[in-house]
Amino acid sequence: MLCTIPLYVIHEAQEELGFIFETAKRETKVIANNIAINSVEHILTRDYSSLENLLLRIAEFPDIINIQVSNEFGQVLSDVITSKDGLYEVQPRYSLISIKVPKKNSYKLIEYDEHMDIWTPIEAGRHIGWVKIKYSLVSAKKHRNERIKDYLLDGAILSVFISLFLLLSMRRPLSMINKAVNFSSRLDDKTGEQLPVSHQSIEIEKLFKALNKTSLSLAAQEATIKKGIKDLETQKHALDEHSIVTITDTSGNIKYANDKLLKMTNYKSEELLGKNSSILRGSYHTEKFYQDVQKVISEGKSWHGEVVCEDKQKKRHWMQTTIVPFLDDKGSPYEYVTIQSDISAQKDTENLLEINNTSLELLTKELEDKVESRTSDLRKANEELSELNNIKSEFVSVVSHELRTPLTSIKSFAEILEDDFDELDSDTRNKYLSIINEESVRLGNLINDVLDLQKMDAGKTTWNIEKTDLKRLAVTTIELFSKSYADKGLTLNLEMSGEDLVADVDSDRIKQVLTNLLSNAYKFTEQGSVTLELKQVIQNPTVLIVDDDETCLVYLEIFLEGKGVKFISCDGAKKAIEILEDKNKHIDLLITDIVMPDMDGVELISYIRNINKKLPIVAISSSGDASVLKSLLDYNISSFLDKPFHPESISKTLNKVLGDTEYMSENKQMIQISVQDSGMGIPESELGHVFERFHQVDNSETREKGGSGLGLTICKDIIEHHKGKLWVKSVVGEGSRFIFNLPLHM
C-alpha cells in the first residue's frame, strides 16, 4: 500500500501534464488555422506587411517561439521570432531562406523535448502555402515538476501515518507468519510434522491448516518416491542381467554402459564413458542408416531394428536394438537409452539357412532349365523333323512335277517325229527338234539346280573362298550376255563406282548368281535396258526427324536408337532445311510432321522436292489432316505415319521406304551389286515369295518363259553363305531390281 502512494503521485502528475499538453496542442492548432485563414488574402495580394502585422499580434500569445509562413514550395514569406526578453524580431522578406515542408497537404504535429512544431496548410481552392508554429513546452514541464513535488510531499506525510497504523495492527499476525515461515523451511527435513493451529485470525488458521496438509502430502510423496526408486533399481538390475544397456546424451556421448556391454565388446568402462557411441558402429551400415535412426529419435519417438556393432577386436555382432528417448518438459530429448540383445548366433543360422535355400533354389532352377531346355530341344527337333519331312514330300512332289513337264514335252514331240517324220516338212521337223533340245537343256538345268540345292542343304558344297576383284568378274560375266542381249534389241549397261571393289568370295558361285540374275532379266525384258551396277556403300541409313511435338520426337528417337538406326532430330522446318543443305551431312530418309509453327509441312516438302526429288519422305499426320494429306500426294510421298505412334506401324513404314534397312549387315563397309531391268515387274503380293523353292510368278507370260523355280533360292543361299543379303524391289510395268551386298575385303 505504501509503495502505491508514490506511483499514485506520479500518475496524477502525468495526467495533469497530459492535460496541459493536450490543451496547448488544441490552442496552437486553433491559432495556426486562424493564421492560415487570415493569411490567404495577404499571400494572394502579396501584402506581406499586413501578414507580418498579423503574425506579430499572434506572437504575443505565451510560449510561442517562432511563426513562419511560406509558399507551397517552402520559400519563407514572413518569419517572426520571439526573443527571451519578450521582444519580436521580423526576418527580412523575400529572403532566399527555404524550409523543408511536409509532403502531404494536411495538418502535422512534431513533438520534441523542449518544444513542438505545428504545420497547417494554407488553402485557397488549391494549396498555396504553409503555417509553421514552434510552441515551447518548457513552461508546461516546469509546472508539472512543481506539481510532482507537491504530490510527493503530501504522499510522504500520508505514508508516515499509514506505516504507524500498520505497525501497531500487524505486530501479532507477523509473529505468527514468521512461525509459519520457519515451519515451511523445515518441511524438506521433517515431512509429516504438524504445526499447532492458532485461532486468533481466520487467515492465519487457514494458513496453518494448509501447511499441515502440505506436510502430510509431502510425507506420502516421499514414501512413494522411495518405493519407486527401489522398484526402478530392481528393474534396472533385471534389465542389466538380461540385456545390454547404454545411455547417451543428445550428441551420442556415452554416459552409462552396463557390464554386459563391456563383456561383449571387451572394452573397459573408462574406455567407453565420455566417448562417442560411434566407437561401436563399425562399417557395416551406411551413414544414411544412422542419419535415419537419429531423425526418428530426435523427434521423440522410439526406434526398433537390427544394428551391427563391432567390439574392440573389430568382430561384428548383430544386435536387436530399441532406442528410447527421455524427454524434458518441452518434449525435447535430453538423453537416449539403448537396450540391445545379441542375436549374432540367430543371424548366423538364418544366413546359413538362406544360403542353403538359395543353393536349393539354384539347383532346382538349373534342373528346371535343363529339363525345359531338353524338352525345347526335343520339341524343336521334332518340329524340324516334321518340317523336313513335309519339305521332303513337297520337294519330291514339286521335283516330280517339274521333271515330268519337260519329259512330257520331249516324249510328245519325239513320238510325233517318230510317227509322222515323213509327212512333216523340214521346217516343222526342225521346230520340233528345237523344242526337244530346249526342254532337254531345261531338264539338265533343273537337275543341276536340284543337285546344287541338295548339296547346300546337306552342307556338302565345296567353297573356294579367295580374294576376288568383283569389277573384273562383272566384266567377264557381262561379256557372256552381250550378243544375246544385242540380238534381242536390249541395251546391257555396266556401271561401277569406287576404287577397290574386292571381296573374299567363291568367284564361281558369285558368277553363278550374276548369270542367274542377268538371265532372268533377259527373259523378262522385251525392250529397254538392263543395268549391272557395282558400288561401295556404308550400311545403316541416316534418318532426319522433324517434329515440334517433343513427345513424338523422343518416341521416334528411342525407337530408331533401339533399332540401331542413326538419326538427326530437330523441332522446326527451318532447322531441317539447314541440315539438308549441309554438304557434310547425308540424309537417307526424312520423317516430318505436316503441321509446324515456323513453316507448314507442305511448304517444307515442296522446298525439299525442288532440291532433291528422290529423297524418301514419310509424312506424320493425325486424323484431322485429311485435306493436307491429299495435297501431299503430288510430292511423291513415300509413306505416312499416323499419330499416336505404334512400334509395328513405324517398323512396317521403315521397311517399306528403306528396304535396305531390313537387310542391314553387321559389316559397315559393303559392296552393293544390283541388276536393274525395265521388264514387266513383279506384283507386290509376289515379292515375299520370289526366293521360295519352285516359286514362279503366277501368270501365263511368266510360265511361258520357263525356268526351274530354284535359281533365286540358290542365289539367296550363296549370298547368305558369304554373309551378305539378297533382296528385290519391283514395280509392275516399270521393272525389277535385284540387289545383294557382300562384305568389302578389309
Side-chain angles (χ1 to χ4, degrees):
M1 183 176 178
L2 293 175
C3 296
T4 60
I5 293 174
L7 295 176
Y8 172 77
V9 170
I10 295 172
H11 172 72
E12 287 297 320
Q14 290 289 356
E15 286 288 325
E16 186 168 346
L17 179 63
F19 175 75
I20 294 170
F21 281 2
E22 288 300 320
T23 302
K25 291 177 184 177
R26 286 195 299 270
E27 291 177 353
T28 309
K29 184 176 181 181
V30 170
I31 293 170
N33 287 336
N34 187 28
I35 295 173
I37 294 170
N38 291 303
S39 63
V40 170
E41 182 179 353
H42 301 321
I43 294 173
L44 293 177
T45 59
R46 299 185 179 180
D47 185 2
Y48 300 119
S49 296
S50 299
L51 180 61
E52 289 171 358
N53 292 330
L54 172 66
L55 298 185
L56 287 170
R57 289 197 302 274
I58 295 174
E60 294 176 359
F61 282 90
D63 296 321
I64 292 179
I65 301 173
N66 174 232
I67 304 175
Q68 289 180 321
V69 176
S70 67
N71 61 15
E72 67 269 31
F73 304 111
Q75 184 179 1
V76 176
L77 304 178
S78 182
D79 191 355
V80 175
I81 302 173
T82 304
S83 62
K84 293 182 180 180
D85 54 5
L87 299 178
Y88 307 103
E89 178 184 353
V90 179
Q91 296 295 324
R93 294 193 299 273
Y94 311 112
S95 66
L96 297 177
I97 298 174
S98 293
I99 58 176
K100 187 176 181 181
V101 297
K103 294 182 179 179
K104 294 184 178 180
N105 301 332
S106 60
Y107 172 81
K108 185 175 182 181
L109 184 146
I110 305 173
E111 189 172 331
Y112 301 96
D113 289 338
E114 301 294 332
H115 71 277
M116 61 182 176
D117 291 343
I118 307 292
W119 291 85
T120 301
I122 304 172
E123 305 288 339
R126 63 182 180 84
H127 179 62
I128 62 172
W130 289 93
V131 175
K132 177 187 175 185
I133 298 177
K134 181 182 288 187
Y135 187 89
S136 174
L137 299 176
V138 174
S139 298
K141 290 186 176 181
K142 182 178 180 182
H143 179 70
R144 181 198 62 178
N145 293 335
E146 291 175 353
R147 295 297 294 165
I148 289 175
K149 290 179 181 178
D150 294 340
Y151 280 125
L152 287 175
L153 180 60
D154 294 341
I157 295 171
L158 181 62
S159 297
V160 170
F161 283 106
I162 292 174
S163 298
L164 290 173
F165 174 76
L166 291 176
L167 183 61
L168 293 174
S169 61
M170 294 296 294
R171 184 177 179 184
R172 176 66 178 171
L174 284 174
S175 66
M176 300 304 293
I177 291 173
N178 186 47
K179 187 176 181 181
V181 170
N182 292 332
F183 177 79
S184 300
S185 64
R186 299 196 305 272
L187 283 178
D188 289 341
D189 301 325
K190 298 183 179 181
T191 54
E193 184 180 349
Q194 296 294 290
L195 184 68
V197 178
S198 173
H199 300 285
Q200 291 186 358
S201 167
I202 296 175
E203 288 78 8
I204 298 297
E205 182 180 349
K206 288 182 178 180
L207 175 62
F208 278 25
K209 288 181 178 180
L211 288 173
N212 289 336
K213 186 177 180 181
T214 302
S215 178
L216 292 173
S217 177
L218 287 174
Q221 290 179 13
E222 183 177 6
T224 302
I225 291 171
K226 287 180 179 179
K227 184 178 183 303
I229 292 172
K230 185 176 180 181
D231 291 343
L232 284 175
E233 289 177 348
T234 303
Q235 293 172 11
K236 177 180 176 295
H237 177 73
L239 187 62
D240 283 340
E241 288 297 317
H242 177 266
S243 302
I244 295 170
V245 181
T246 312
I247 300 177
T248 61
D249 60 20
T250 53
S251 299
N253 297 320
I254 299 173
K255 298 171 65 176
Y256 171 79
N258 71 349
D259 293 339
K260 275 190 168 294
L261 176 67
L262 301 176
K263 183 178 179 181
M264 184 194 77
T265 60
N266 296 316
Y267 281 107
K268 294 179 180 179
S269 178
E270 57 270 20
E271 292 178 312
L272 291 180
L273 294 180
K275 301 293 179 59
N276 195 275
S277 58
S278 59
I279 193 174
L280 303 173
R281 284 184 182 179
S283 59
Y284 182 83
H285 297 293
T286 63
E287 187 62 30
K288 186 179 182 307
F289 172 83
Y290 292 107
Q291 290 174 357
D292 292 342
V293 174
Q294 184 63 36
K295 183 177 183 299
V296 173
I297 61 177
S298 62
E299 293 174 353
K301 303 174 185 176
S302 298
W303 183 88
H304 309 276
E306 294 180 354
V307 179
V308 176
C309 299
E310 286 187 359
D311 60 21
K312 194 173 183 179
Q313 286 72 38
K314 302 302 179 183
K315 179 183 177 183
R316 288 178 176 174
H317 298 265
W318 278 90
M319 312 295 291
Q320 186 66 48
T321 304
T322 298
I323 304 176
V324 181
F326 280 11
L327 309 179
D328 58 20
D329 295 339
K330 297 179 180 179
S332 300
Y334 63 89
E335 67 181 18
Y336 303 110
V337 177
T338 303
I339 305 168
Q340 297 176 303
S341 298
D342 193 340
I343 57 170
S344 300
Q346 176 185 334
K347 293 297 291 186
D348 290 342
T349 303
E350 289 177 0
N351 291 337
L352 182 60
L353 184 60
E354 184 178 353
I355 292 171
N356 291 336
N357 288 337
T358 303
S359 301
L360 184 59
E361 288 176 4
L362 290 174
L363 289 173
T364 304
K365 184 68 170 57
E366 185 178 355
L367 183 59
E368 289 175 353
D369 291 344
K370 286 182 178 180
V371 171
E372 184 178 351
S373 175
R374 185 59 178 163
T375 303
S376 176
D377 291 342
L378 292 173
R379 188 184 301 112
K380 185 177 179 181
N382 187 45
E383 290 173 355
E384 289 177 353
L385 287 173
S386 177
E387 184 180 357
L388 287 173
N389 189 48
N390 292 334
I391 292 173
K392 179 181 178 182
S393 299
E394 182 183 355
F395 182 77
V396 171
S397 175
V398 173
V399 168
S400 299
H401 172 74
E402 294 296 331
L403 288 174
R404 191 179 296 112
T405 301
L407 284 174
T408 301
S409 298
I410 292 171
K411 181 180 179 183
S412 298
F413 286 105
E415 288 176 350
I416 293 172
L417 287 172
E418 183 179 7
D419 295 338
D420 303 322
F421 185 81
D422 295 331
E423 298 176 4
L424 298 174
D425 57 55
S426 176
D427 291 339
T428 302
R429 288 197 299 269
N430 290 335
K431 179 182 177 182
Y432 289 171
L433 288 172
S434 177
I435 292 173
I436 292 172
N437 183 57
E438 289 176 1
E439 292 299 324
S440 298
V441 172
R442 180 183 173 190
L443 182 61
N445 289 336
L446 176 59
I447 293 171
N448 289 333
D449 287 344
V450 169
L451 291 175
D452 283 345
L453 199 58
Q454 189 272 334
K455 286 182 180 180
M456 289 181 184
D457 288 342
K460 296 181 179 180
T461 305
T462 301
W463 301 92
N464 298 316
I465 305 298
E466 58 186 357
K467 182 178 176 182
T468 302
D469 185 350
L470 296 182
K471 283 185 178 181
R472 181 177 299 175
L473 183 64
V475 171
T476 57
T477 304
I478 208 167
E479 287 176 353
L480 300 175
F481 291 88
S482 57
K483 184 177 184 305
S484 57
Y485 270 76
D487 291 343
K488 195 174 181 179
L490 299 175
T491 303
L492 182 58
N493 302 314
L494 176 61
E495 296 179 2
M496 295 184 288
S497 60
E499 296 181 0
D500 297 322
L501 299 179
V502 178
D504 295 318
V505 297
D506 185 326
S507 58
D508 291 336
R509 294 295 182 182
I510 300 303
K511 187 174 183 179
Q512 181 181 348
V513 173
L514 293 174
T515 300
N516 185 283
L517 297 180
L518 289 171
S519 177
N520 287 346
Y522 173 81
K523 286 191 290 184
F524 295 104
T525 305
E526 296 302 324
Q527 60 181 3
S529 64
V530 174
T531 301
L532 173 60
E533 181 184 16
L534 288 81
K535 62 181 179 179
Q536 184 176 330
V537 296
I538 297 177
Q539 289 285 19
N540 295 333
T542 300
V543 179
L544 173 60
I545 314 168
V546 188
D547 199 327
D548 61 317
D549 186 335
E550 186 177 357
T551 302
C552 295
L553 202 64
V554 172
Y555 188 99
L556 287 170
E557 290 175 352
I558 293 173
F559 179 87
L560 293 174
E561 187 175 3
K563 294 292 184 181
V565 178
K566 293 193 300 182
F567 61 85
I568 302 173
S569 59
C570 62
D571 58 3
K574 293 181 180 179
K575 291 182 181 178
I577 291 174
E578 293 178 3
I579 294 171
L580 289 166
E581 290 181 339
D582 188 345
K583 294 182 180 180
N584 294 321
K585 293 184 174 67
H586 178 74
I587 304 301
D588 300 290
L589 170 64
L590 171 66
I591 302 177
T592 179
D593 192 4
I594 60 176
V595 179
M596 288 180 288
D598 61 341
M599 182 186 291
D600 189 81
V602 178
E603 294 180 62
L604 172 63
I605 294 172
S606 174
Y607 179 85
I608 291 171
R609 280 292 174 250
N610 289 330
I611 61 175
N612 190 336
K613 298 186 182 300
K614 295 183 178 181
L615 177 67
I617 298 176
V618 175
I620 302 174
S621 62
S622 58
S623 57
D625 301 330
S627 59
V628 181
L629 294 176
K630 188 175 181 181
S631 65
L632 290 174
L633 296 176
D634 298 331
Y635 294 103
N636 190 25
I637 299 299
S638 304
S639 187
F640 296 93
L641 269 177
D642 295 326
K643 294 180 180 178
F645 297 135
H646 296 286
E648 297 82 3
S649 62
I650 299 176
S651 182
K652 184 177 180 181
T653 300
L654 287 179
N655 290 339
K656 177 182 177 183
V657 177
L658 290 174
D660 297 14
T661 60
E662 187 179 0
Y663 306 105
M664 287 182 189
S665 169
E666 294 179 357
N667 300 279
K668 290 289 184 181
Q669 293 186 324
M670 306 287 286
I671 299 172
Q672 188 177 93
I673 304 172
S674 64
V675 175
Q676 172 77 57
D677 64 51
S678 57
M680 65 181 69
I682 303 170
E684 186 174 354
S685 60
E686 297 285 347
L687 287 176
H689 305 287
V690 295
F691 297 108
E692 295 178 1
R693 299 182 182 192
F694 299 107
H695 181 81
Q696 295 183 353
V697 178
D698 193 13
N699 61 57
S700 57
E701 187 175 356
T702 303
R703 288 292 180 185
E704 289 176 1
K705 303 296 182 180
S708 66
L710 293 175
L712 289 176
T713 305
I714 295 171
C715 290
K716 185 172 181 293
D717 287 347
I718 292 173
I719 297 303
E720 289 180 352
H721 178 82
H722 288 86
K723 297 183 180 178
K725 298 291 180 181
L726 171 63
W727 67 100
V728 61
K729 294 181 179 180
S730 184
V731 178
V732 175
E734 295 183 9
S736 302
R737 184 182 180 214
F738 284 84
I739 312 153
F740 65 89
N741 284 349
L742 293 171
L744 182 71
H745 172 79
M746 302 301 294

